[in-house]
């Protein structure tokens, strides 16, 4: 019998690519998503990438215990991947209660329904943002945590809750994956990142400049203590992130309890490096101008990705050129996002 994985937030950016990866590897996949930040059109596209249907797709809120209970009653769930959350740092400062309610409250409701149905295998979406303003990079899983905004606090709070639950329930197996900066798109061009409104993140903004939807990129500061003065990040291809989740599901049974792993490449890329790589991949110029630093930004965030490699013998394989090439393909095919 193939394993059934319930994916919350499965229509979102990382969730949709992970569902495609799971389907391609023979898993049965059930999606729960309230589509607050995703299009239901994505669900058919996930199936198309793999040539196989989803086992189920439910428009439901992870805070809705009754709805979740119905989903768990309808499927024999073997493992859960929990992506569903709000993720915009700036918005979290303006709407902290909503962020705690969905991100922390939703996780608690999910855990409680999992317990009712004796499901004890979970992969949780965490974030490098739990480290806040990192003093030294690369960051290991043991580097100090010091969230600087409500969003990052919700992720760290969920990690703490999961630790406590694992300490209490001996059979629980939880993997929290701290992603660095996921970018790129499915190589088919069917799935990608489709932010609402003006993109807050670098890669989708650059892609929209390349396609002519935005005039120019604002580079937020060139006076950081980095080689070219612009911010350095660890961009990781979303297909590597998706693969990392599939491999994580395979390793849930290695041991009980809670484990935390970084999901990054270990390579730092500056804003100007990324702009140059995208110009090369797209064959288009990326007009840009340096403006003031963005409040709250840090100079550099790069993963030490060695722990996951040592534990699972798995590493990311896709480079910056592939990230740009795939993001560009999706952008060209969907100049206005999933609506076309
Ligand atoms: P996304 O917004 O594209 O996907 C999240 C999905 O969850 C969306 O489809 C949304 O509709 C759904 N959702 C939100 N609230 C829900 C609710 N209450 N009930 C049901 N569904 C709900 O975001 P993403 O980039 O795919 O991120 C996925 C996860 O990864 C999030 O937990 C995020 O915090 C985490 N993460 C993302 C990044 C990043 O840079 N993208 C980095 C680190 C961690
Ligand atoms: C990258 C670099 C900017 C936009 C965010 C979240 C973090 C995590 C990953 C969820 C920085 C610069 C950006 C622009 C620019 N998400 N930039 N012009 O801030 O590293 O991380 O996504 O967990 O929590 O905060 O990503 O893509 O916004 O910025 O110059 O228009 O690009 O200053 O150096 P960030 P980002």
């Amino acid at each position: 019998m193939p394993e059934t994985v319930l994916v919350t937030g499965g229509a979102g950016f990382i969730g949709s690519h992970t569902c495609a990866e799971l389907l391609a590897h023979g898993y049965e996949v059930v999606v729960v998503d309230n589509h607050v930040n995703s299009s239901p059109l994505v669900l058919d596209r996930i199936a198309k990438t793999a040539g196989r249907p989803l086992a189920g797709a439910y428009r439901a809120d992870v805070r809705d215990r009754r709805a979740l209970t119905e989903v768990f009653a309808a499927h024999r769930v073997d493992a859960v991947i929990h992506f569903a959350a709000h993720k915009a740092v700036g918005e979290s400062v303006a709407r902290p209660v909503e962020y705690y309610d969905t991100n922390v409250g939703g996780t608690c409701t999910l855990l409680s329904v999992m317990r009712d149905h004796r499901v004890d295998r979970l992969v949780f979406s965490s974030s490098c943002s739990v480290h806040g303003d990192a003093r030294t990079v690369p960051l290991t899983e043991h580097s100090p945590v010091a969230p600087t905004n409500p969003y990052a606090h919700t992720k760290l709070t969920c990690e703490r809750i999961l630790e406590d639950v694992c300490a209490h329930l001996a059979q629980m197996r939880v993997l929290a994956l701290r992603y660095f900066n996921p970018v790129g798109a499915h190589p088919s061009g069917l799935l990608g990142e489709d932010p609402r409104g003006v993109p807050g993140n670098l890669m989708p903004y650059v892609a929209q400049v390349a396609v002519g939807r935005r005039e120019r990129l604002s580079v937020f500061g060139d006076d950081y203590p980095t080689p070219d003065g612009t911010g350095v990040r660890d961009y990781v291809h979303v297909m590597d992130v998706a693969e990392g989740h599939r491999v994580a599901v395979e390793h849930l049974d290695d041991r009980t309890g809670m484990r935390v792993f970084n999901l990054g490449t270990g390579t730092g890329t500056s804003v100007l490096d990324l702009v140059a790589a995208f110009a090369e991949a797209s064959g288009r110029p990326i007009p840009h101008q340096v403006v003031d630093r963005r409040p709250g930004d840090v100079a550099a965030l790069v993963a030490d990705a060695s722990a996951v490699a040592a534990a699972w013998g798995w590493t990311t394989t896709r480079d910056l050129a592939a990230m740009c090439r795939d993001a560009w393909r999706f952008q060209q095919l969907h100049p206005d996002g999933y609506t076309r």
Side-chain angles (χ1 to χ4, degrees), residues 8-16 32-39 60-63 82-87 102-103 106 124-129 151 155 177-182 193 201:
T8 75
F13 173 44
I14 305 172
S16 59
V32 169
D33 200 305
N34 67 357
H35 300 295
V36 68
N37 198 37
S38 58
S39 163
D61 194 306
V62 286
R63 293 166 297 179
H82 182 36
F83 291 107
H86 294 307
K87 64 161 181 177
T102 294
N103 297 8
F124 174 73
S125 290
S126 191
S127 167
C128 65
S129 63
Y151 165 72
K155 289 291 166 183
L177 303 181
R178 290 181 181 157
Y179 326 143
F180 279 65
N181 288 57
E193 188 168 14
N201 296 115

Side-chain angles (χ1 to χ4, degrees), residues 184-202:
H186 194 275
S188 66
L190 284 167
L191 302 172
E193 188 168 14
D194 180 22
R196 305 222 157 140
V198 181
N201 296 115
L202 180 63

